Amino acid sequence: MNKHISKKILTVAVILSSAFLFQSCDTVNKIFGKGGKKGGGSVEDPLAGIKNGQLVAKSRKGYKQVAPEGMVLIPSGSFMMGQADEDVMSTRINLNKRISIPAFYMDDTEISNNEYRMFINSILADSLEALGEEFIMTSLYPDTSVWKKDFTYHNGDQLTENYYGNPAFDNYPVVGVSWDAAQFFCRWRTDLYNNYRAENNEFRSPRFRLPSEAEWEWAARGGSEGAKYPWGNPYVANAKGCYMANFKPNRGNYQKDGFQYTAPVNMYEKNAFGLYNMAGNVAEWTQDAYSESYMPVTWDLNPNYDNPDEPRKVIKGGSWKDVAHYLESGTTTYEYRTATKSYIGFRCVMDRMGSVPGRE
């Protein structure tokens, strides 16, 4: 997938957004809401906040942001971003820096095969003519060949044939999806959600998107300052000797943690924020471009390194095929935006608008 295809993704996304907006009712009602109904949009009269030549407008009624299905609220906070242990890889890029993060919603699990299948099925049903079957199947459909091509002389035929398509793996994380495809999924999910809200006369919701590197790390730590892993410090197994994540323990005894490859998206213990598998299982795409100078060049409030000319994108969390170092919340690495791997998936976030529950 080159820059031309990336531009095509953006162009088609705009077209799809417009199609969702105009397919029912009129534009004014979509934007302002019809009002007058339970849970509806804005007031019927857009000038109701002006009376006797004066501004009397207060907050509009009927809007209450709730967590979308499958998401949990990640509270705002401040933490020391970066490595919590020695830099064993000698990368010298993940220096410590205090960061503040606003509240947001995050998927409590990685996007599963069956959730991603809903996206593919919807695109094939509604946008086949606009996008073309070749683009959908080569750029958006999961690359199932990754199980064979990622590893030298690896007998991955059964996973290539069954991992995405067989119901046995429905609740396992989708893999073989590029950063660009994950972006397209987020735009589709946003249109799907807001089209439903518009049809039910509700205010437009903030968009779904990939988390920034800082948001991801704050969420992974679960509020534990300086914690090495999402469950705390300093070991990868609990007091009973049970491993806390799906990774590569004991120098390659993959089965020791319970799974040779990926695990179900809701396996292992949740962290303090209610998130599963923020370490191990599959590494996860973030929104940020990768930079060796990330810490000194980004701001300390809600940072996001956005560089469309940088093809390397940050991945976090480590995976089923990684050693424990990559499971650390502060470890940062990258992959190219067009790459599809058997060990990289993603999850979505959504901005929390206005006050946080309990602080109104």
Side-chain angles (χ1 to χ4, degrees):
M1 197 186 309
N2 52 30
K3 286 187 176 180
H4 174 71
I5 294 179
S6 299
K7 290 181 180 178
K8 181 178 180 181
I9 290 177
L10 181 59
T11 302
V12 172
V14 172
I15 295 173
L16 288 177
S17 298
S18 301
F20 274 116
L21 184 63
F22 288 103
Q23 69 180 7
S24 62
C25 303
D26 60 275
T27 306
V28 174
N29 283 334
K30 291 296 185 185
I31 298 175
F32 293 106
K34 299 176 184 177
K37 295 183 180 180
K38 183 178 180 181
S42 61
V43 294
E44 289 186 27
D45 183 0
L47 300 179
I50 299 176
K51 185 176 182 181
N52 298 329
Q54 301 180 68
L55 289 176
V56 295
K58 305 297 181 184
S59 61
R60 290 173 290 176
K61 306 298 181 183
Y63 180 77
K64 182 179 180 182
Q65 188 175 9
V66 296
E69 184 71 25
M71 283 189 156
V72 295
L73 178 65
I74 308 300
S76 59
S78 178
F79 74 110
M80 288 299 294
M81 185 175 177
Q83 60 197 50
D85 202 347
E86 62 179 325
D87 185 8
V88 298
M89 303 300 288
S90 299
T91 60
R92 301 181 184 272
I93 61 167
N94 215 16
L95 307 176
N96 294 107
K97 181 178 180 179
R98 180 159 290 280
I99 299 294
S100 295
I101 298 290
F104 59 95
Y105 295 102
M106 189 176 209
D107 284 328
D108 61 354
T109 70
E110 298 140 344
I111 297 299
S112 69
N113 279 323
N114 210 27
E115 288 172 328
Y116 197 83
R117 185 175 294 107
M118 297 304 102
F119 160 60
I120 293 295
N121 290 348
S122 176
I123 292 296
L124 286 172
D126 299 333
S127 306
L128 181 59
E129 184 175 349
L131 294 176
E133 183 177 2
E134 181 179 357
F135 172 76
I136 295 173
M137 300 307 293
T138 58
S139 300
L140 301 180
Y141 195 88
D143 181 4
T144 58
S145 69
V146 293
W147 294 106
K148 192 72 175 178
K149 69 183 184 182
D150 280 352
F151 311 105
T152 304
Y153 295 116
H154 171 243
N155 184 18
D157 286 346
Q158 287 200 20
L159 290 169
T160 296
E161 296 168 7
N162 298 304
Y163 184 78
Y164 179 68
N166 194 295
F169 295 104
D170 276 355
N171 200 40
Y172 284 62
V174 68
V175 297
V177 174
S178 70
W179 184 87
D180 288 315
Q183 295 283 3
F184 202 106
F185 175 93
C186 291
R187 289 191 287 267
W188 167 82
R189 190 177 179 185
T190 298
D191 288 336
L192 182 71
Y193 190 50
N194 277 321
N195 185 53
Y196 171 82
R197 293 179 65 84
E199 290 176 349
N200 287 273
N201 196 34
E202 298 177 4
F203 284 104
R204 186 172 181 83
S205 167
R207 63 188 175 90
F208 294 94
R209 57 179 175 81
L210 293 179
S212 69
E213 178 183 351
E215 286 174 329
W216 192 99
E217 189 169 327
W218 164 246
R221 292 183 186 274
S224 297
E225 184 75 21
K228 186 175 179 180
Y229 301 109
W231 51 85
N233 287 323
Y235 306 113
V236 293
N238 61 20
K240 296 181 179 180
C242 299
Y243 284 104
M244 304 293 288
N246 180 20
F247 68 116
K248 181 181 178 179
N250 298 145
R251 299 185 179 183
N253 187 352
Y254 292 91
Q255 184 66 37
K256 190 69 174 178
D257 56 40
F259 296 89
Q260 290 185 339
Y261 294 97
T262 58
V265 295
N266 57 351
M267 187 58 62
Y268 303 98
E269 292 293 325
K270 297 182 288 187
N271 75 354
F273 286 162
L275 303 170
Y276 293 92
N277 289 312
M278 292 300 282
N281 210 24
V282 290
E284 299 177 15
W285 290 115
T286 70
Q287 186 67 32
D288 290 48
Y290 178 82
S291 172
E292 291 82 358
S293 303
Y294 172 88
M295 286 299 185
V297 303
T298 54
W299 202 27
D300 57 359
L301 173 59
N302 202 22
N304 173 223
Y305 185 67
D306 182 17
N307 182 359
D309 295 325
E310 173 55 71
R312 298 174 300 173
K313 304 301 179 182
V314 171
I315 56 174
K316 298 282 285 185
S319 75
W320 60 268
K321 63 90 181 173
D322 290 317
V323 295
H325 168 71
Y326 293 99
L327 271 60
E328 296 179 23
S329 300
T331 298
T332 294
T333 185
Y334 69 87
E335 189 51 79
Y336 288 88
R337 62 185 297 170
T338 57
T340 55
K341 298 293 183 180
S342 61
Y343 45 85
I344 301 179
F346 69 101
R347 71 180 80 206
C348 303
V349 299
M350 173 189 285
D351 291 327
R352 166 72 192 190
M353 298 286 98
S355 60
V356 176
R359 296 184 181 179
E360 289 91 345

